[in-house]
Amino acid sequence: MRSHRLRATGPVVRHVPRGHAYVDALVGAEPAHLHPADPPVPGAPAGQWWPHPALTPRWVADHAHEIDVLHVHFGFEHLGVDDVRHLVASLRAHDIRLVLTVHDLVDPHGTGERYGRVLGELVGSADALTTLTPGAAAEVERRFGRRPQVISHPPLVPAGVLPARRTGSPFVVGLHLKSLRANVAALPVLDACADAVAGLDDAQLRVHLHEDVTRADHPRHDPEVLRRLARARADGADVRVHAPLDDAQLWRDLAQTSLAVLPYTDGTHSGWLEMCHDLGTRVLAPDLGFYAQQRPVLTYRHDDLTASVERAVHEAHARWAQGEPAPGGDARVLAAELESARAAHREVYLGVAEDRVVRGA
C-alpha cells in the first residue's frame, strides 16, 4: 500500500502533455490534484512541440517526491521500446503509478510500425489503461492482450461559453486542412467536397489552411494544394488562409458551419469531432477508426470518395433544410458528461494510488 504518500487532496497527477484540450477538460477546477503545468522550453517558439521531459528516467527521479501518478496521453511517438522500459523501471523504482489513455491506435504523424511497438510496451506496462470507445478497447485487447476501461471523450467546449449557432442560408460545408498533417487527404477530399457543394444551390464550401504551409521552406508545403485552393476560390468557395485560430475563433467558426468534414486518411478518435458535437455542428467523417462510436456522424469512404461524400453532403443538406438540429450542443448534457468523465478519472487515480487496481483485470 502507498496510502502514506497520498495527500489530503488525493493523488497528485502529472499529465503528459499538460497543455492539451483533452487534459484541460479533465483538469477542470481541481488544481490541487495536479502537478504544475508544463514549463516553456527555453528558446522554443510558442506552440512548438518538444519531447516531454516527464517521459525520461531523469525527470522521474528528480520529481518523484512531487507526484503519485504519471498519466500519459500523447507525445510519446519519439520514444523507442527501450526508452519506455527505462521510463517504467524508473517509475517503479520510485513507486509512481503509470496510467495510459489510448487515444490513437495509429500515429497521426506517420511514424508507422515503431509507434505500434512503443504503444504495445506502454499498454503492457501501465497500471491502469483507458480508452474512449468500446471498439478501441476491443482492438487494444486483440493486439496487446489487455482490455482498457472505456471512459467517453469529455466535452472540450465549456458549456458556459458555447457561441450562438448561425441560422439561415447558405448551408456551409467546412473543411479545415490546417497545416496539411501527414494523415490529411487534402486534394481528394477538397475535390469531393467541391463537387458535392456544386450540386446544391444554397450551399457554400469554406476551406481553412494555415499560412505556414504557403512558405516554400515548410516541410508540408504543397504547391498543388495552393493551386487547387485558388481554383476553388475562383469557383465561389470561401478560402481562408491564416494563422492557427485560438479557441474562441475556432469555436465561433465551427458554430457557423453546417457540416464539418474530417479529411483524415487514418485515425482512431478525434478532438475535432468532439468540439463539433459540443457546438451542435454535424460531422462528416471517414468510415475508419472509431469516430462513429465516439459521437454520431455521417460517413464517407475513401474507396468511393466522390460518390460517398456527395451522398453524405446531400443528406446533411436535406436535414438542414428540414430544420433538423445536429446532435450535441446542449449545455446541460455537456456539463453532466464532463463531470462523469472527471469522476471516472478520479476513480482511476485513486485506484492505482491505493493499489486497488489489479494488473491485467
Side-chain angles (χ1 to χ4, degrees), residues 43 54 110 131 152 179 183 286 299-300 333 356 360:
T131 192
S152 297
S179 293
N183 71 333
T299 60
Y300 68 87
V333 172
R356 288 192 287 105

PDB file of all heavy atoms in Angstrom, residues 43 54 110 131 152 179 183 286 299-300 333 356 360:
ATOM      1  N   GLY A  43      13.837  29.107 -25.415  1.00  0.00           N
ATOM      2  CA  GLY A  43      14.167  29.407 -26.807  1.00  0.00           C
ATOM      3  C   GLY A  43      13.207  28.861 -27.837  1.00  0.00           C
ATOM      4  O   GLY A  43      13.315  29.195 -29.014  1.00  0.00           O
ATOM      5  N   ALA A  54       9.011  14.706 -18.823  1.00  0.00           N
ATOM      6  CA  ALA A  54       8.488  13.758 -17.844  1.00  0.00           C
ATOM      7  C   ALA A  54       8.556  12.315 -18.333  1.00  0.00           C
ATOM      8  O   ALA A  54       8.348  11.387 -17.541  1.00  0.00           O
ATOM      9  CB  ALA A  54       7.045  14.102 -17.484  1.00  0.00           C
ATOM     10  N   GLY A 110       2.530   9.767 -38.586  1.00  0.00           N
ATOM     11  CA  GLY A 110       3.106   8.918 -39.602  1.00  0.00           C
ATOM     12  C   GLY A 110       4.392   8.207 -39.248  1.00  0.00           C
ATOM     13  O   GLY A 110       5.212   7.936 -40.129  1.00  0.00           O
ATOM     14  N   THR A 131      -9.416   3.970 -22.609  1.00  0.00           N
ATOM     15  CA  THR A 131      -9.573   4.466 -23.971  1.00  0.00           C
ATOM     16  C   THR A 131     -10.961   5.059 -24.072  1.00  0.00           C
ATOM     17  O   THR A 131     -11.696   5.112 -23.072  1.00  0.00           O
ATOM     18  CB  THR A 131      -9.310   3.372 -25.016  1.00  0.00           C
ATOM     19  OG1 THR A 131      -9.211   3.977 -26.320  1.00  0.00           O
ATOM     20  CG2 THR A 131     -10.407   2.319 -25.031  1.00  0.00           C
ATOM     21  N   SER A 152     -15.723   7.785 -21.900  1.00  0.00           N
ATOM     22  CA  SER A 152     -16.047   8.567 -23.093  1.00  0.00           C
ATOM     23  C   SER A 152     -15.287   9.892 -23.118  1.00  0.00           C
ATOM     24  O   SER A 152     -14.941  10.459 -22.082  1.00  0.00           O
ATOM     25  CB  SER A 152     -17.554   8.848 -23.140  1.00  0.00           C
ATOM     26  OG  SER A 152     -18.265   7.642 -23.249  1.00  0.00           O
ATOM     27  N   SER A 179      -2.373  22.531 -41.183  1.00  0.00           N
ATOM     28  CA  SER A 179      -1.009  22.547 -41.724  1.00  0.00           C
ATOM     29  C   SER A 179      -0.677  21.272 -42.504  1.00  0.00           C
ATOM     30  O   SER A 179       0.481  20.854 -42.569  1.00  0.00           O
ATOM     31  CB  SER A 179       0.014  22.766 -40.602  1.00  0.00           C
ATOM     32  OG  SER A 179      -0.102  24.055 -40.055  1.00  0.00           O
ATOM     33  N   ASN A 183      -1.720  12.752 -42.082  1.00  0.00           N
ATOM     34  CA  ASN A 183      -2.920  11.942 -42.291  1.00  0.00           C
ATOM     35  C   ASN A 183      -4.078  12.738 -42.890  1.00  0.00           C
ATOM     36  O   ASN A 183      -5.234  12.328 -42.789  1.00  0.00           O
ATOM     37  CB  ASN A 183      -3.357  11.294 -40.979  1.00  0.00           C
ATOM     38  CG  ASN A 183      -3.932  12.302 -39.986  1.00  0.00           C
ATOM     39  OD1 ASN A 183      -3.586  13.484 -40.007  1.00  0.00           O
ATOM     40  ND2 ASN A 183      -4.800  11.835 -39.103  1.00  0.00           N
ATOM     41  N   PRO A 286     -14.553  10.042 -42.163  1.00  0.00           N
ATOM     42  CA  PRO A 286     -14.277   8.799 -42.895  1.00  0.00           C
ATOM     43  C   PRO A 286     -14.696   7.590 -42.067  1.00  0.00           C
ATOM     44  O   PRO A 286     -14.709   7.643 -40.827  1.00  0.00           O
ATOM     45  CB  PRO A 286     -12.758   8.840 -43.101  1.00  0.00           C
ATOM     46  CG  PRO A 286     -12.256   9.715 -42.005  1.00  0.00           C
ATOM     47  CD  PRO A 286     -13.313  10.733 -41.759  1.00  0.00           C
ATOM     48  N   THR A 299     -20.846   9.437 -42.635  1.00  0.00           N
ATOM     49  CA  THR A 299     -19.556   8.861 -43.021  1.00  0.00           C
ATOM     50  C   THR A 299     -19.386   8.862 -44.531  1.00  0.00           C
ATOM     51  O   THR A 299     -20.352   8.863 -45.303  1.00  0.00           O
ATOM     52  CB  THR A 299     -19.398   7.413 -42.509  1.00  0.00           C
ATOM     53  OG1 THR A 299     -20.438   6.596 -43.046  1.00  0.00           O
ATOM     54  CG2 THR A 299     -19.450   7.367 -40.987  1.00  0.00           C
ATOM     55  N   TYR A 300     -18.106   8.870 -44.933  1.00  0.00           N
ATOM     56  CA  TYR A 300     -17.737   8.672 -46.326  1.00  0.00           C
ATOM     57  C   TYR A 300     -16.653   7.614 -46.402  1.00  0.00           C
ATOM     58  O   TYR A 300     -16.024   7.276 -45.395  1.00  0.00           O
ATOM     59  CB  TYR A 300     -17.289   9.975 -46.984  1.00  0.00           C
ATOM     60  CG  TYR A 300     -15.972  10.540 -46.473  1.00  0.00           C
ATOM     61  CD1 TYR A 300     -14.747  10.150 -47.020  1.00  0.00           C
ATOM     62  CD2 TYR A 300     -15.943  11.486 -45.447  1.00  0.00           C
ATOM     63  CE1 TYR A 300     -13.543  10.675 -46.566  1.00  0.00           C
ATOM     64  CE2 TYR A 300     -14.748  12.022 -44.979  1.00  0.00           C
ATOM     65  CZ  TYR A 300     -13.557  11.609 -45.537  1.00  0.00           C
ATOM     66  OH  TYR A 300     -12.369  12.120 -45.082  1.00  0.00           O
ATOM     67  N   VAL A 333     -26.493  18.785 -20.900  1.00  0.00           N
ATOM     68  CA  VAL A 333     -25.989  17.434 -21.173  1.00  0.00           C
ATOM     69  C   VAL A 333     -24.460  17.437 -21.164  1.00  0.00           C
ATOM     70  O   VAL A 333     -23.817  16.539 -20.604  1.00  0.00           O
ATOM     71  CB  VAL A 333     -26.533  16.917 -22.515  1.00  0.00           C
ATOM     72  CG1 VAL A 333     -25.855  15.602 -22.901  1.00  0.00           C
ATOM     73  CG2 VAL A 333     -28.040  16.734 -22.442  1.00  0.00           C
ATOM     74  N   ARG A 356      -5.484  -0.516  -5.651  1.00  0.00           N
ATOM     75  CA  ARG A 356      -6.749  -1.233  -5.746  1.00  0.00           C
ATOM     76  C   ARG A 356      -7.004  -1.729  -7.172  1.00  0.00           C
ATOM     77  O   ARG A 356      -8.013  -2.380  -7.412  1.00  0.00           O
ATOM     78  CB  ARG A 356      -7.921  -0.348  -5.298  1.00  0.00           C
ATOM     79  CG  ARG A 356      -7.951  -0.114  -3.800  1.00  0.00           C
ATOM     80  CD  ARG A 356      -9.258   0.499  -3.332  1.00  0.00           C
ATOM     81  NE  ARG A 356      -9.367   1.910  -3.701  1.00  0.00           N
ATOM     82  CZ  ARG A 356     -10.124   2.388  -4.666  1.00  0.00           C
ATOM     83  NH1 ARG A 356     -10.834   1.565  -5.402  1.00  0.00           N
ATOM     84  NH2 ARG A 356     -10.163   3.663  -4.925  1.00  0.00           N
ATOM     85  N   GLY A 360      -3.954  -6.481 -15.251  1.00  0.00           N
ATOM     86  CA  GLY A 360      -4.438  -7.498 -16.166  1.00  0.00           C
ATOM     87  C   GLY A 360      -5.908  -7.814 -16.019  1.00  0.00           C
ATOM     88  O   GLY A 360      -6.434  -8.625 -16.752  1.00  0.00           O
TER      89      GLY A 360
END
